[in-house]
Amino acid sequence: MENLLVLQSGGPTAVINASLAGVIKAGFDNSKKIGKVYGSINGIEGVENQTIVSLELFNNDENLRLLKQTPASYLGSCRKKLPALGEDDGLYCRIFEALEKYNIGYLCCIGGNDSMDTANKLSAYAKQTGKTIRVIGVPKTVDNDLVITDHTPGYGSAAKFIANCMRQIALDTDVYKMPSVVVLETMGRNAGWLAASAELANDSTLSAADIVCLPERPFDLDAFLAKVEEVSRIKKTVMIAVSEGIRDKDGNYIKENNPRGDKFGHAALGGAGKTVESRIAGQLGFKTRSIELSTLQRCFAMGTSLCDVTEAFEAGYKGVEFALEGHTGVMPGFRRISDNPYKMQIVPLNVCDIANFEKKVPEEMISQDGFGLTEKFREYALPLITGEPELVYKNGCLQFAPSVI
Ligand code: F6P
């Protein structure tokens, strides 16, 4: 019988291991068709180096439950770009030799945009060379920027964290008599979905996100400062969310740490909030504090969304089922049937249509002045942050899956 291999790559999320749990569970549930379940350490690099481990310890409900609530990529990650087909045959030969050595018939690559590129190239290479291995991309990314799919596992939990941070910080900021401004910086690269989620902090009892700056709109400092002043005239504290990826009208990032970028051409971002903070304090004179959520927004496993955890698991499980049905080069994607009641369908989408594209926040979800979100966004995003899973704690601390390495 052929075996199943799973790997994780790209930036982690709080629910990426729920997808891993889904893949593993589907592997064990299909023991008449699948032999062993293996994991590759550090993504595709682990296949190349043959650092491949048995995941037999998860043939156990308790360990699987702990895996579902473990943040960060349990199997480790990498940001490796595979060369175009025909550019480095040696590398592809090494990868496929390892896959043959472990008798892998099914390979699941859990990841975002760049990991879909890996899945796409591996399935194309397999087809080209007449190999029968089925390669599946299982979606994850806090950025929510995968195209075609309605949304991506990982986003809902990060969005829930951001919205709840905004609400709690809003109360803290309001304790003094003097006016003040808070700037919260989110991840998300060139797509503003994470910054947009700050909008979900607002309800009839609390205005916790007054201004949201998305990379979808050029950052105009004068218009921005005018907006801050406008809000400050009606509210003592001004709550702002900015995306790490905001750019000026010439397309330059407000703050960029590595302009040459990584192997996928992504700049290292972070620090836009601090830059905005100094402009507000310097030009308007308000007490201003910036908060960079950084990795917390993607690894905070104590406040995940039940909807997100459940869907992440299902995406992994369905990925294996698609492979068993004979699909290759596909990703289980989400198709929205309805908002209310919230209903999704998981369908196979071709990874070649997804790899290397970015889904931005559409115009219809952005307010006219560009500093807020519309009701359409709330309808879209609210179901994704709904529900709280029951978590296992010991001595007050969240428990994680036992290490396999
Ligand atoms: O992969 C998504 C992401 O979390 C982005 O939002 C962020 O810009 C990037 O990863 C950070 O990557 P790293 O952790 O590799 O620095």
Side-chain angles (χ1 to χ4, degrees):
M1 248 188 316
E2 289 181 314
N3 301 319
L4 166 68
L5 177 67
V6 54
L7 60 83
Q8 298 171 303
S9 42
T13 79
V15 303
I16 186 171
N17 293 324
S19 291
L20 177 62
V23 170
I24 295 171
K25 178 86 170 90
F28 291 130
D29 283 355
N30 287 285
S31 58
K32 289 202 174 102
K33 297 174 196 152
I34 293 174
K36 293 197 168 70
V37 180
Y38 289 116
S40 165
I41 305 300
N42 294 117
I44 194 64
E45 289 178 357
V47 183
E48 191 190 349
N49 307 327
Q50 302 197 13
T51 41
I52 289 174
V53 293
S54 160
L55 295 175
E56 192 55 39
L57 83 156
F58 292 110
N59 202 352
N60 164 305
D61 286 347
E62 192 44 34
N63 284 346
L64 213 55
R65 183 174 180 203
L66 290 175
L67 182 63
K68 274 173 92 172
Q69 67 173 45
T70 303
S73 314
Y74 177 80
L75 295 169
S77 188
C78 71
R79 287 203 187 270
K80 182 183 175 80
K81 188 174 178 69
L82 289 181
L85 296 197
E87 254 179 32
D88 180 357
D89 225 36
L91 173 63
Y92 285 96
C93 285
R94 283 197 299 285
I95 290 173
F96 278 84
E97 260 167 41
L99 294 173
E100 270 155 37
K101 178 174 163 192
Y102 285 84
N103 190 26
I104 305 300
Y106 316 94
L107 171 64
C108 288
C109 305
I110 308 175
N113 227 308
D114 304 333
S115 312
M116 294 309 135
D117 181 69
T118 302
N120 184 29
K121 285 172 177 160
L122 292 178
S123 63
Y125 182 87
K127 275 183 199 162
Q128 218 177 68
T129 51
K131 301 185 193 305
T132 56
I133 184 169
R134 271 134 281 171
V135 186
I136 304 292
V138 177
K140 77 79 219 171
T141 172
V142 287
D143 296 353
N144 198 37
D145 60 354
L146 295 187
V147 293
I148 310 175
T149 182
D150 176 84
H151 63 278
T152 310
Y155 173 63
S157 296
K160 184 178 186 118
F161 177 71
I162 290 166
N164 280 292
C165 283
M166 288 295 277
R167 287 176 70 78
Q168 292 167 82
I169 295 167
L171 294 190
D172 180 287
T173 308
D174 206 35
V175 298
Y176 301 114
K177 272 189 181 163
M178 67 176 154
S180 66
V181 179
V182 167
V183 182
L184 186 104
E185 178 189 318
T186 71
M187 283 183 166
R189 286 211 182 105
N190 302 316
W193 296 102
L194 283 175
S197 65
E199 163 64 32
L200 305 176
N202 294 329
D203 62 19
S204 55
T205 65
L206 187 64
S207 171
D210 302 306
I211 301 175
V212 180
C213 300
L214 308 171
E216 281 76 3
R217 292 283 176 94
F219 184 75
D220 175 339
L221 183 63
D222 292 335
F224 170 73
L225 291 176
K227 182 75 187 177
V228 176
E229 273 194 307
E230 182 194 315
V231 177
S232 74
R233 282 197 286 274
I234 48 172
K235 212 170 153 259
K236 186 179 59 165
T237 55
V238 184
M239 293 293 298
I240 302 169
V242 302
S243 166
E244 63 175 3
I246 50 171
R247 303 172 189 236
D248 63 21
K249 63 175 182 358
D250 301 318
N252 302 311
Y253 288 114
I254 296 299
K255 183 75 177 45
E256 178 173 11
N257 303 313
N258 172 15
R260 279 189 300 143
D262 63 15
K263 287 181 187 151
F264 281 93
H266 306 308
L269 300 174
K274 196 94 216 138
T275 306
V276 169
E277 172 197 320
S278 68
R279 299 286 154 76
I280 298 169
Q283 299 194 30
L284 301 181
F286 291 120
K287 173 185 191 294
T288 309
R289 174 172 280 149
S290 67
I291 300 165
E292 187 180 336
L293 287 181
S294 186
T295 47
L296 261 178
Q297 68 205 281
R298 67 180 192 198
C299 71
F300 194 77
M302 281 159 61
T304 49
S305 136
L306 181 61
C307 169
D308 195 26
V309 178
T310 310
E311 290 185 344
F313 181 87
E314 282 170 1
Y317 199 97
K318 204 76 189 154
V320 174
E321 288 188 335
F322 285 157
L324 287 171
E325 285 164 19
H327 289 285
T328 187
V330 301
M331 178 192 97
F334 292 86
R335 181 178 291 157
R336 193 175 295 228
I337 309 292
S338 70
D339 284 326
N340 194 7
Y342 173 73
K343 263 200 191 145
M344 281 292 154
Q345 194 184 14
I346 300 186
V347 293
L349 304 174
N350 291 325
V351 283
C352 62
D353 298 330
I354 296 166
N356 304 312
F357 295 104
E358 279 175 327
K359 182 177 73 183
K360 307 279 178 72
V361 180
E363 276 301 306
E364 58 179 16
M365 293 191 186
I366 305 175
S367 67
Q368 224 167 15
D369 68 1
F371 292 122
L373 283 301
T374 63
E375 196 49 36
K376 267 239 165 312
F377 172 75
R378 290 182 69 85
E379 281 163 15
Y380 165 82
L382 267 178
L384 310 181
I385 71 166
T386 305
E388 293 74 40
E390 245 181 62
L391 301 172
V392 183
Y393 285 84
K394 191 173 157 195
N395 300 330
C397 289
L398 192 65
Q399 295 301 289
F400 305 138
S403 173
V404 76
I405 309 166

